[in-house]
Amino acid sequence: MGGSGPTRRPVSTYRFQVSADLDLHEVARRLEYVHGLGVDWVYLSPLLAAEPGSSHGYDVVAHDHLDESRGGAEGLAAVSAEARRRGLGVLVDIVPNHVGVATPSEDPWWWEVLRDGRDAEHAGAFDIDWDTADQRLRIPVVGDDDLLPDGQVDHLRLVEGGRGLELHYWDQAFPVADGTASGVDDDPQAVHARQHYELVDWHRADDALNYRRFFAVNTLAAVRVEEPEVFDETHVEIRRWFTEGLVDGLRVDHPDGLRDPKGYLDDLAELTGSAYTLVEKILEPGEALPTSWATDGTTGYDALAWVDRVLTDPAGQAPLDALEARLRGLPAGEVVDYPAMVHDLKREVADGILHSEVRRIVRDLRRDVPERVPSSTADAVAELMACFPVYRSYLPEGYEHVDEAFAAARERRPDLAATLDTIEPWLRDPSLDACRRFQQTSGMVMAKGVEDCAFYRYSRLTSLNEVGGDPHEFSLGVDGLHEHLAARQRDWPHAMTTLSTHDTKRGEDVRARITVLAEVPQRWEETLDRLLALAPLPDPGFGSLLWQAVLGAWGSDPDDVLRERLHGYAMKAMREAGDRTTWTEPDETYEAAVHAAVDAAFDDQEVRSALEGLLAEVVDAGWSNALAAKALAITMPGVPDVYQGSELWEQSLVDPDNRRPVDLDLRARLLAEIDAGQRPPAPSGVDDPGTAKLHVTATALRLRRDRAELFTGYTPVAASGEAADHVVAFDRGGAVSVATRLPLGLAARGGWGGTRLALPPGTWRDALTGEVTDGDLATLLATYPVALLVQED
């Protein structure tokens, strides 16, 4: 395992989305509930000063103080003090890669760089290519209607502000450098021409920017924490947390954006005294986290993918492939080529919204390479990005990924062979800027092409379209899961395990319900055809994705609230898909048809009847999957995280839906009722309140925390009998976790019959029901589809 780490690591965590509505003082008050749930550490979203009104905190604007709207320094002190009183640790999410620049006056460094240009004290903190664009920083904010024929910008005015003279474009304020307003008769156009920045057409962000961003977000500018002085200044407040003993561990956001993730983690370990540290690193199937990193592991998307797939019926793959092909208009017998889709969408990104980064790499190559860089270099670099098999390499680690990308690019584009031959040595040399920047950019292309586009176009089974997973990988057998978990116990026992985050496309229980469709693909196809006939959509493939989301979220809120949530999801999903409508060029006719389908789910009785008819057949199996996923995630090797509120049903959709406030008072009341002896029944029906999930969650978390000696190993537990393939079980060293898989298929078989677990010798009692078991699954799982067995002797 990478990193030596501290002596204290969490057993489990509970993630809070800290905001003005749920600030740190409120979090401190909620720690009684968190502790009662069985959680070991509290896990907080970013806390540093952020853009005004930010709901998430990932747009940090200052590194020397906490966000006052989130509770400030007093709030963190209150959380830390209460956590210490209850024996809890504190884990905080940090954002080292970028800062928010949407409001320049809020970020003192950015304001200073805009005012003073390349000579600004903090100019070196930002990744800016000053040697292009006439030494001016391009700011892509100008709307289409404000570009004048002579290239000037309309709606500029000079205003005397609190920071001196300012140049305003509509309601956006920018600094005016000293001496640049004299002699021009207060002409804002003339003043603008003298600044170290240039306000440009927003369309030019795609190919003409000269500062690195967070993905394609113009209002998030990358910072160069690889420079020692920048690291020190951006970690002033974080250092204080550890100096004063306020915080115990960190979650590092988006390490792939850093120039040198390993070097950054080494610096962070030195600053924190090797505190517990996780990285938000997405691993492609078969990819391993570098063991040289000073980290305890990833935030758990790999584990999420394994859990979802072990609950997916492999028999559903062929019929769902055929359905997806039919919806996409392919001939009978063909299937959608998902890898080809990924390549093409990544190529679109490299040629489109991230072409500025590609052009920057080409400029770096021209500076580094002694011979002339071919004119086709941008084409070759973009093709390499599209062919790159993982998010990024970390040279000198990961040369095999570079080899694979060059081989694939040569095969796809033999016309680029000579150019690829020329640039390959330079893109394999980690001492060169072009090579380092290529590594930073490939992950951006992957994320924008796959997570933010392909995931919204490929609708075969959308429970698999999740961050950290490959939708092309349909299912995972029980033996495959055991192999993954045994390796996890051996190599990364303190990595996080998660099912829902602020970045998941669908909450864990939405996915659990959609997963059931793999067991009844023909029934799903019949229902989908009916829905598409009743509420026609121009793109039936997108219709499949939409109706799966409706099915997964149905019943999670009153109709008026759910209707609004589904409209929000539909808008984001179709614009992210980007093939029929986009954020920048919306197709009003297409979007109206999609929104009409959402409304039909609530207003058209035939549509509602078709939807609820299928729902009645899959809802209980979905709850079974949900309990199975939660039980597996909490008891498997690693540190389980409970995303706020997901101890009850988590039927959120993509952000901002998954950042909605949750009713913590309800959860506290239900937990108190369970503790008073009101053991909940198995979940049933669309209106089930989720108390069985709360019971499973609390029982498992408390056992892990209070009986840690029962969770020190990993051994598969075999089953025998006619339904043996419907159970997954493992022994963690005295605690055996048991979960049902493929529940509809199990019911079709007539139940467990004589299927039994081969339990180790001794007396085993289910912590969920209190009953002793001899391994007979029909008896053991008569109440819940999961069990947590503890050896009594």
Side-chain angles (χ1 to χ4, degrees), residues 489-500:
Q489 173 65 23
R490 181 187 67 238
D491 300 330
W492 299 99
H494 304 292
M496 183 172 278
T497 300
T498 190
L499 292 177
S500 296

Side-chain angles (χ1 to χ4, degrees), residues 30 402 516:
R30 297 295 181 175
V402 179
V516 181

Side-chain angles (χ1 to χ4, degrees), residues 519-737:
E519 294 200 70
V520 287
Q522 288 80 16
R523 183 70 180 89
W524 161 239
E525 183 171 9
E526 293 169 3
T527 301
L528 179 61
D529 285 345
R530 177 67 174 155
L531 292 169
L532 292 173
L534 292 168
L537 288 168
D539 182 349
F542 181 82
S544 176
L545 182 139
L546 176 67
W547 284 113
Q548 288 177 62
V550 174
L551 181 77
W554 199 257
S556 56
D557 270 315
D559 280 2
D560 58 335
V561 177
L562 182 59
R563 184 196 298 258
E564 182 178 357
R565 289 175 53 211
L566 288 171
H567 277 302
Y569 172 77
M571 176 70 78
K572 181 164 186 174
M574 61 181 157
R575 291 185 176 181
E576 293 285 73
D579 50 353
R580 299 295 187 114
T581 186
T582 67
W583 293 106
T584 55
E585 297 181 7
D587 182 324
E588 294 182 2
T589 302
Y590 176 79
E591 292 188 356
V594 172
H595 287 300
V598 172
D599 283 329
F602 299 91
D603 301 332
D604 186 309
Q605 191 54 49
E606 286 188 275
V607 171
R608 188 164 188 145
S609 177
L611 178 67
E612 292 184 340
L614 176 61
L615 188 66
E617 298 178 36
V618 303
V619 64
D620 289 350
W623 296 148
S624 176
N625 284 343
L627 295 188
K630 204 66 171 178
L632 292 173
I634 295 177
T635 58
M636 66 194 282
V639 175
D641 174 57
V642 178
Y643 184 70
Q644 70 170 27
S646 65
E647 60 272 34
L648 290 183
W649 302 133
E650 169 49 286
Q651 291 177 268
S652 296
L653 298 167
V654 71
D655 70 286
D657 194 60
N658 56 24
R659 291 190 176 109
R660 291 172 299 132
V662 298
D663 190 341
L664 294 169
D665 290 331
L666 170 65
R667 286 156 176 79
R669 177 174 61 79
L670 293 176
L671 182 61
E673 292 174 359
I674 292 171
D675 288 343
Q678 299 181 33
R679 183 176 295 153
S684 178
V686 71
D687 296 322
D688 186 90
T691 47
K693 188 183 182 188
L694 179 61
H695 177 46
V696 169
T697 300
T699 302
L701 288 173
R702 290 168 177 176
L703 189 65
R704 284 207 70 164
R705 181 189 63 191
D706 300 338
R707 299 288 306 279
E709 75 279 3
L710 302 178
F711 294 86
T712 57
Y714 187 86
T715 304
V717 174
S720 60
E722 58 268 34
D725 56 342
H726 288 276
V727 65
V728 56
F730 46 78
D731 181 2
R732 293 299 317 282
V736 172
S737 187

Side-chain angles (χ1 to χ4, degrees), residues 48-69:
L48 293 177
E51 284 280 357
S54 172
S55 62
H56 49 75
Y58 288 92
D59 42 8
V60 172
V61 297
H63 296 90
D64 59 353
H65 64 281
L66 275 75
D67 196 287
E68 292 300 327
S69 71

